[in-house]
Amino acid sequence: MNRVVITGAGTINALGRNVSETLGAMREGRCGIRPLKCPDVERLSIKIGGQVQNFDETNHFNRQQIALYDRFTQFTLLAAREAMAESGISFSEELAEKSGVILGTAAGGMNTWDDNYRAVYEKGKNRVHPFVVPKLMNNAATSHVSMEFNLRGPSLTVSTACASSNHAIGLAFQMVRSGTARAMIAGGSEAMLTFGGMKAWEGLRVMSKTACRPFSANRSGMVQGEGAGIFVLETYEDATARGAEILAEIVGFAMTSDASNIVLPNSQGASRAMRGALLDAKINVNDIGYINAHGTGTMANDKTECTAIIDVFGAHSDHLMVSSTKSMHGHLIGATGAVELLACIMALRDGVIAPTIGYESSDPECALDVVPNIARDARVVGVLSNAFAFGGMNAVLALKSL
Amino acid sequence: MSVQNKVIQIIADQSLIDVADVTLASTLDELGINSLGVVESIFALEEEFDIEVQFNSNVPAEGDFDISSVASIVLAVEKLVAEQA
């Protein structure tokens, strides 16, 4: 079994166009949730979101690329380029054949679906661009990463709603650990902030019109975001042989299914996933200093998640810091676990714990140290990153500093 | 059909019971309608009456749409129909 480390990270999201901007924003407790800018926004009931700012696709891609790259693929490639540049790894020959890409996404090429539905059904067009299928397919982002960086090994796309990124990173971790793959690019991307995407979410009545306030007694629901988070995973041996800088070590991963409700979370499924990650990592509850929570800001999730944390950690819960960075970047759905992993790296590498902003009043059902509003300097050795998705899909990652 | 009768029909359909078993005093919980059922009922009411209901399942008691009983829902729908006509 190999030790698995992260040697490169990249992102684009509402808080910034790269990792340094994102971590800077998290450190300062800045909010990336703003009034939405999209066509027909007046027809929306929810008018806020964590949109990527000042993004002009023509600044990054040429016309031929744009014809093939949905917004979610564009986010992926920008983040992947940053991660690969930081890592310094390059894929050729045998390494290329033994390395692959696993990415998570919930909605894939939603913008392409949306645009072409509009053309065909609303405007009555009888033809669409020939590349619509390869553009909207859920594996498009994964494929383009594999093509751009010459990864010829095992690659796939995972879809488990809000846990997609954690599942993707977890599976990639398992592959490198077991030697099935030498190195993997893993993460997630999402660009669901289209008019249609927003309308779909509005119907569920779980979104807030004002802010994302995880764990706060006056929380009023989730706020959607968009973006991508991409990481380079390799063995500790390969990384040190290359002299690569190591951001953090992934030490454990567990997946469970609630088998209970299609949207409501279940605390037992969540507890089993956290316990499973600790077991897989062979670490115990006292080794964990920080949990990046799923923390969507809904009544249901936050309460259930806190119950599960206290169930797993018992008395040690009093010494845990648990924050939800969704308060700052929104809920990136399939990409959320990936962007949130950056907060875990910041905790382990930089000794800075990201805050839960927007926290206004304490809820006795969420009686944990949620690092309210202001980031904290603290040394932690072990962290968990939680993802508890619709349909009862739970995925938890455990990481340690080196 | 009056607003009241239509509302009762929609709630009866949602809870899979007879119209006759839905009383004005009934709460949605008593009728076996869970949180997903509430959201679906609101959708059905919006479609039927062509109204827009402000409702957030995280804070159900906030806002004007009172779902505490069938009677309160009928009143809330009548109000929205009048306002949004």
Side-chain angles (χ1 to χ4, degrees):
Chain A
M1 293 246 281
N2 300 307
R3 286 173 67 184
V4 183
V5 296
I6 300 172
T7 56
T11 191
I12 180 166
N13 60 73
L15 294 178
R17 295 161 303 177
N18 53 48
V19 171
S20 144
E21 283 180 15
T22 301
L23 295 188
M26 286 182 180
R27 207 174 293 130
E28 287 174 31
R30 251 184 274 142
C31 190
I33 291 166
R34 303 174 179 89
L36 277 175
K37 292 200 179 98
C38 74
D40 296 328
V41 69
E42 334 71 50
R43 282 177 58 201
L44 289 174
S45 181
I46 304 290
K47 297 180 164 70
I48 58 171
Q51 277 178 306
V52 168
Q53 296 293 294
N54 306 318
F55 181 76
D56 181 347
E57 59 188 4
T58 62
N59 286 340
H60 309 284
F61 307 105
N62 64 38
R63 199 183 54 84
Q64 283 166 308
Q65 290 168 324
I66 289 168
L68 277 171
Y69 300 169
D70 179 276
R71 190 174 172 89
F72 95 108
T73 298
Q74 293 177 9
F75 288 163
T76 305
L77 288 171
L78 293 176
R81 288 171 189 172
E82 186 188 0
M84 284 293 294
E86 178 172 33
S87 166
I89 195 171
S90 79
F91 293 102
S92 60
E93 295 161 5
E94 206 214 314
L95 181 62
E97 288 177 9
K98 293 222 71 183
S99 304
V101 187
I102 305 185
L103 301 182
T105 188
M110 178 124 199
N111 282 271
T112 304
W113 283 108
D114 227 38
D115 289 344
N116 286 282
Y117 278 148
R118 225 183 257 263
V120 164
Y121 295 119
E122 189 184 53
K123 301 193 174 127
K125 287 201 67 178
N126 279 325
R127 72 181 70 78
V128 295
H129 192 283
F131 299 163
V132 163
V133 167
K135 191 172 180 184
L136 58 75
M137 61 192 189
N138 284 345
N139 62 294
T142 298
S143 294
H144 286 297
V145 169
S146 121
M147 287 156 60
E148 185 158 324
F149 299 106
N150 195 37
L151 289 123
R152 295 166 182 255
S155 296
L156 57 121
T157 300
V158 164
S159 198
T160 48
C162 334
S164 300
S165 282
N166 274 21
H167 276 104
I169 294 166
L171 291 177
F173 155 70
Q174 288 180 336
M175 283 193 182
V176 177
R177 182 169 66 174
S178 68
T180 305
R182 273 285 289 282
M184 293 292 291
I185 293 185
S189 49
E190 201 74 72
M192 257 185 106
L193 286 177
T194 65
F195 181 82
M198 289 298 292
K199 268 295 161 206
W201 275 99
E202 278 181 6
L204 210 40
R205 308 282 181 169
V206 291
M207 304 218 294
S208 170
K209 290 187 166 193
T210 49
C212 178
R213 303 185 188 284
F215 311 119
S216 197
N218 64 339
R219 60 193 185 273
S220 57
M222 56 169 272
V223 176
Q224 263 198 88
E226 61 172 357
I230 306 289
F231 302 89
V232 178
L233 274 54
E234 21 178 351
T235 66
Y236 174 77
E237 286 69 31
D238 280 351
T240 44
R242 284 197 311 112
E245 198 188 310
I246 291 171
L247 280 63
E249 182 175 357
I250 304 178
V251 291
F253 173 60
M255 312 177 254
T256 64
S257 313
D258 285 350
S260 83
N261 189 285
I262 197 65
V263 290
L264 295 173
N266 176 296
S267 76
Q268 279 154 34
S271 294
R272 285 186 298 110
M274 285 187 276
R275 275 203 191 91
L278 293 171
L279 252 161
D280 189 52
K282 297 189 173 55
I283 61 183
N284 72 62
V285 296
N286 298 325
D287 295 325
I288 300 294
Y290 169 61
I291 298 179
N292 183 285
H294 190 57
T296 56
T298 62
M299 278 301 163
N301 176 80
D302 295 357
K303 174 177 68 169
T304 306
E305 183 165 14
C306 289
T307 300
I309 289 172
I310 291 168
D311 180 47
V312 173
F313 290 88
H316 185 66
S317 307
D318 293 338
H319 306 287
L320 272 179
M321 290 173 286
V322 179
S323 73
S324 169
T325 50
K326 288 186 174 71
S327 55
M328 294 181 278
H329 50 64
H331 189 345
L332 280 73
I333 320 292
T336 214
V339 170
E340 289 161 23
L341 202 69
L342 296 171
C344 295
I345 291 172
M346 185 168 77
L348 291 168
R349 182 191 63 176
D350 306 336
V352 176
I353 312 297
T356 305
I357 69 167
Y359 188 77
E360 290 183 340
S361 47
S362 71
D363 180 348
E365 290 187 297
C366 300
L368 294 167
D369 176 5
V370 301
V371 196
N373 300 313
I374 301 173
R376 200 178 300 165
D377 289 324
R379 293 241 62 244
V380 295
V381 164
V383 311
L384 287 188
S385 184
N386 287 350
F388 306 132
F390 271 7
M393 312 270 97
N394 307 310
V396 174
L397 290 160
L399 295 95
K400 283 181 88 171
S401 56
L402 229 63
Chain B
M1 245 206 261
S2 65
V3 169
Q4 178 171 302
N5 286 343
K6 278 190 200 169
V7 169
I8 288 176
Q9 181 68 66
I10 285 168
I11 291 174
D13 285 347
Q14 186 64 46
S15 55
L16 300 172
I17 64 175
D18 271 346
V19 162
D21 294 329
V22 177
T23 75
L24 285 172
S26 310
T27 67
L28 296 180
D29 191 51
E30 281 164 11
L31 297 171
I33 297 176
N34 63 18
S35 62
L36 277 185
V38 167
V39 163
E40 244 195 325
S41 303
I42 291 175
F43 171 69
L45 291 168
E46 286 189 316
E47 290 279 275
E48 172 64 44
F49 295 101
D50 194 21
I51 52 176
E52 222 181 273
V53 174
Q54 298 302 323
F55 179 81
N56 182 333
S57 63
N58 293 284
V59 282
E62 259 176 39
D64 283 335
F65 201 80
D66 183 355
I67 58 161
S68 50
S69 68
V70 174
S72 68
I73 294 173
V74 172
L75 272 171
V77 169
E78 283 171 346
K79 184 161 174 269
L80 286 174
V81 167
E83 279 171 10
Q84 294 178 15

